[in-house]
Structure formats: C-alpha cells, structure tokens
C-alpha cells in the first residue's frame, strides 16, 4: 500500500456508469443508469432519456424544485430505491460561486451525484521532538466509515455557508473547542475528488484548515459522532495512512496534503514527490 | 487580470506544435517541428520522422549520448538555430525517480522540451500586522524575465540533486544567507507546468520551500542575478501578483500557492477557491 493507493481510492469512478443530472440548463450532478430508470417513474418531475436526467423546466424556482425532488426521494426511500433522507438540506449548484438551483436532502446527495462541500481541520501540536496531530475515532454506528480514524473537526456545509463559521460550529459540536480557539484556524487549501459511493457518486470539495492547538487544550467528545480523541505522533499517523486503511478514506488524502505542507514528506526522501502532488490534486 | 490569468500563463502550449523526443524507448521531451527538421541534418545522432525525434539507439550509454547531442547543439547554436550553451549540464529522464538517460546543457533544455527541476524559497517575516515576504528584483541583463520580481532564493537543479542542498547553496550564492538559517527551510509542496518558451518548451517542476526569516536577517545581493531585495507586505505582493505582471511568470504561481497555504486567500472571500486550487495544480 502507498500514498498513491489512498489517493486512487477517492478518485475511482466509471464515467460510463452515470448520466448527467441537469437543472436549469446546467449539469449539477450525475446519476447511475438504474437511478435514472427509477426517476423515469416521475415524469412530472424528471425528463429521462439516454443522454441525461433533466429536472422539469416547469419547476421554475428553487422552492418548487426542492419540494418536488424531496417528494420523489421520500417515495424512492419508502420503496427501498434510495437512502433515507436525513432531514438536513444542502444547496445544489454547478459551482461554489453560483447560486443554489435546488435544495436536496443530505442523505440523497450521492444518489444525484451533486457537488458537496465540507471542512476538515488538522489540529496539530508542536512538540520538541516534532509534530503531533489530534485524531478522532468515529462511532461504530456512523453510516459512513464507522470506527475509522478522523480529523479533530470535520463537517459538511450547506451551499453558500461560511467555511470559517462551519469550522467554529463543528469544533464546538464535535470536540467541545472554545470559539476563540477555533477562530484561529487558518484556511490552507482545498481538495476535490469524485468517487463512487454505495448509493451513487460523491463529488466532494473539502476546504482544509490548520490549527496550531495549544498544549493545554484537550478535545472532548460531545455529539456522539467521535467516541475517542488521541494525540498521535505525526510519524505514526503517516505510517497508518500509508500502510493501512485505519483512516476514513477522505481523511487520508487531507492528511497526505498535511504531511507535504509541513515537510513531513520531502522531495529528497519521496522519489515520486512531483507525481504525488499531481495525483493529490487530480492532474495525474 | 486575475490569479487565473497568472496560472494560465504557465500552462500555455499547443501539443500539435511539438513531437516527442525519445531516448532509450522513453519520451523524455518534446521538440518543435522546425527543430525536428533541423535535427534531421544529423542522421548519426537523431532518427527523425513525422511521429517523433528518436535518439539513435547506437548511442548506447549516457556519455556517448551526451557528447553526441552536445556537438549537435553547438553546431546548431553556431548557425543560429539554437540558444548558446551555458556550460551547465542537466540530467534528463522521463521522471525525477528514474536515472538520467542523457546530460543536456541548460541552455538547450527548452529546445528539447525535457523536464527541468528547480527550487523556490518563500522567505517570509511574521509582523504584528501580518506577513511580509522578501522579494528580489532580477538583473536587467538576465536572459529570462529581466527586471521582474523574484523569490528570495530560486535556482535550477541537476537531475538527482538534493533539493534541500540546492536551497542552501542558492541561498548563499543569491542572498548571502548563512547555511544554518537556510537549512531551516521546510519543503511545502511542488508545482508542475508546461508552457511554450522562445526556443521551445518548458516542462518544469518547482520544489517549494518556506522559511520563517528572523527579523534580524537582511539578504544581500551577491552573484549579480538579483540587484535589489525588499520586504514586501503580503497584501501588496498579492495585489501585484493578481493585477500586474511585475513578478516573473513562474514566481507568480508559487506566490499564489503561498497565499493559499497561509490563509491570505480564503475560501470565504475567493468564490472560485476550489477552481483556483485545481487550476494551480493543473486539473482544471
């Protein structure tokens, strides 16, 4: 196993298995062909052909589109063709910079393969012998990646949310971190990837934050999503990312980016350093 | 003008204008069609057809290849078909991780469009009101980018050189920086790009280093490549990168990466933040 395997794991999808999901003339997602066939049962909402699934142009505004798609999702979930809605609505658009064309329940985001955004916070501690990083263990009953290792703070965000505010809110909810500390987190980049998920496709962008955590702060589990926090030596974290799948799949790639930005992985020791950077950002 | 214009400037080339340069069965570079026609004058060294320029397989080892190509380069330079050799040999290979198959004078690297490697050092100072960055002004007689703004330290490296040692050596030669300070530079990533150059193609990978420069160090011009150093407020540097071409073309993209990694450009203020990251690393 290697860093490249970790990166490949978030970039594995077959374009031939999906067709575009079009709203208001823009491709905002991708659906499996089987999902497209299921959506064809609702001709008032979706126009389905071999080339695309198109939201009916008669649904002219965000509220009408969101209600109609939500009703379909509930019907599909009831008959076992879709995940159960979670009761949390995400805005959907073709890019982060364009207004939401539709609101969609978080639970069915992969079913429609629309873009999803989140924040991931690397909480690290400078020790005399090097860096250490705060790592959480996900609850065994999480739907995604149960029991895997996770960041100190991570969470999804609704389209148009402030990334910085999301970090501060999730830091409180997940790690009991005071707002005055969480506000010191610095944005340091983003990673985007597309990979197949159980119910469809993930098209994710993660906004990455670093926080130099003072030695006197210890995170506490609060909302039940994380059951344990530990401060892990960076060399230990690196070995686990590289040699195991102990970390949640997308946390692994954010950690690789962290190792590179902090000089833990170096060009003089990693012969494929240029290729690693390109793979991380999707150019390879 | 925008950050995206700066990035586009290092990624502008027309694949149809070049054909592969093949050594030992591997594509190690790309040559303009006009260059290919000139190389056809030397059938003992190059096999030239419409599909590729191939180094003669009779040149079986690195020394024989390097001598033969060097002789051709000098002949081409003498008749005005190539830049003058600089007397500095770079190793040539298809990747950083594979051994050099050929040595080539630095002056004709773009003529053959082979991969070139360098280090760029962001030397920054933490001030109470924010970051400042050391910026050099290139000499007016430099062949590439005369008079443009440059990094505190930057330089090319031979294939297989240590990146860290190159930083320390160039820091001494260009900025009169003591080795004990230069050795504290941290590798933080790499940027790769391909763009057309006057004599051919640049296929560059830059290994990027950050150095937190103490307030009591002031760089001094030493080897004549940089004629002036100044400590520039990061907001001022950002505006010059975004709104002007005051910085050398490839220094601009390393600066954009710096602004992102240090939270100077943020996801909440730059609506195209995900696209900026992807463009920087070549995925867009």
């Amino acid at each position: 196993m290697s860093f490249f395997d970790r990166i490949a794991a978030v970039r594995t999808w077959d374009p031939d298995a999906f067709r575009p999901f079009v709203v208001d003339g823009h491709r905002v997602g991708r659906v499996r062909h089987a999902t497209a066939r299921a959506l064809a049962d609702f001709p008032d909402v979706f126009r389905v052909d071999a080339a695309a699934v198109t939201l009916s142009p008669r649904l002219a505004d965000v509220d009408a589109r969101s209600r109609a798609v939500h009703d379909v999702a509930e019907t599909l979930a009831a008959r076992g063709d879709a995940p159960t809605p979670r009761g949390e609505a995400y805005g959907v658009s073709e890019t982060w910079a364009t207004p939401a064309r539709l609101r969609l329940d978080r639970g069915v985001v992969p079913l429609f393969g629309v873009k999803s955004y989140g924040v991931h916070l690397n909480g690290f501690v400078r020790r005399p012998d090097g860096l250490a990083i705060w790592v959480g263990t996900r609850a065994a009953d999480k739907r995604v990646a149960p029991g895997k290792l996770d960041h100190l703070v991570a969470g999804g965000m609704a389209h148009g949310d402030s990334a910085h505010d999301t970090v501060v809110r999730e830091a409180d909810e997940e790690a009991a971190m005071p707002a005055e500390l969480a506000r010191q987190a610095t944005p340091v980049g983003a990673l985007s990837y597309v990979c197949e998920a159980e119910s469809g496709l993930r098209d994710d962008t993660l906004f990455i934050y670093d926080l130099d955590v003072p030695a006197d702060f210890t995170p506490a589990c609060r909302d039940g999503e994380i059951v344990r926090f530990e401060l892990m030596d960076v060399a230990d974290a690196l070995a686990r990312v590289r040699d195991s799948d102990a970390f949640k799949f997308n946390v692994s790639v954010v950690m690789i980016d962290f190792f590179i930005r902090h000089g833990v992985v170096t060009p003089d020791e990693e012969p494929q350093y240029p290729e690693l950077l390109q793979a991380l950002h999707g150019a390879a």
Side-chain angles (χ1 to χ4, degrees), chain A:
Chain A
M1 282 181 290
S2 76
F3 292 141
F4 289 94
D5 295 325
R6 298 285 153 260
I7 295 169
V10 297
R11 299 195 186 278
T12 307
W13 72 288
D14 172 13
D16 289 340
F18 295 84
R19 68 188 81 173
F21 173 44
V22 176
V23 178
D24 208 16
H26 297 266
R27 187 193 67 69
V28 299
R30 300 179 183 94
V31 295
R32 283 219 174 95
H33 301 311
T35 302
R37 286 189 290 272
L39 296 175
D41 290 347
F42 307 89
D44 290 347
V45 183
F46 298 101
R47 191 180 67 213
V48 177
D49 58 35
V53 172
T54 305
L55 196 65
S56 170
R58 285 183 304 183
L59 298 165
D61 63 59
V62 172
D63 285 342
R65 290 170 192 151
S66 306
R67 267 196 311 272
V69 173
H70 187 73
D71 289 348
V72 170
E74 292 214 312
T75 305
L76 290 177
R79 73 188 204 195
D81 284 344
T84 314
R86 296 191 191 185
E88 188 182 347
Y90 276 9
V92 170
S93 179
E94 64 277 21
T95 73
W96 184 247
T98 44
R101 300 182 185 280
L102 171 74
R103 288 185 304 276
L104 198 61
D105 188 274
R106 184 177 178 181
V108 292
V109 157
L111 194 73
F112 290 93
V114 300
K115 286 184 184 293
S116 174
Y117 300 87
V119 295
H120 277 239
L121 175 71
N122 300 295
F124 64 95
V125 175
R126 297 183 196 275
R127 297 200 290 204
D129 56 340
L131 294 178
I133 188 159
W134 279 105
V135 171
T137 300
R138 295 168 64 84
D141 63 356
K142 290 285 285 181
R143 189 192 293 191
V144 176
K148 297 286 187 185
L149 299 177
D150 204 340
H151 275 108
L152 177 56
V153 173
M157 50 199 291
H159 186 91
D161 267 8
S162 154
H164 196 253
D165 291 349
T166 304
V167 168
V168 174
R169 189 192 67 225
E170 297 278 336
D172 173 60
E173 289 177 7
E174 294 191 347
M177 185 187 291
E180 59 268 33
L181 175 57
R183 273 196 291 267
Q184 295 171 28
T186 303
V188 292
L191 284 171
S192 299
Y193 56 84
V194 178
C195 65
E196 295 201 27
E198 198 183 346
S199 61
L201 201 68
R202 294 180 66 126
D203 185 345
D204 291 356
T205 293
L206 310 181
F207 298 114
I208 305 171
Y209 283 73
D210 273 7
L211 179 63
D212 196 336
V213 180
D216 63 359
F217 172 75
T218 301
C221 303
R222 175 171 278 186
D223 66 1
E225 300 202 359
I226 297 290
V227 294
R228 175 173 174 254
F229 284 108
E230 62 188 300
L231 188 56
M232 191 180 286
D233 186 85
V234 78
D236 188 12
L238 183 147
R240 294 211 208 180
V241 168
R242 188 188 55 207
D243 303 329
S244 82
D245 63 352
F247 279 91
K248 187 184 169 211
F249 72 109
N250 58 2
V251 172
S252 289
V253 295
V254 177
M255 296 283 281
I256 294 170
D257 175 77
F258 178 85
F259 300 145
I260 291 169
R261 287 186 298 99
H262 289 271
V264 181
V265 171
T266 76
D268 290 325
E269 290 159 357
E270 169 52 62
Q272 293 189 282
Y273 192 84
E275 291 82 4
L276 189 59
L277 266 293
Q278 292 182 313
L280 200 57
H281 291 278

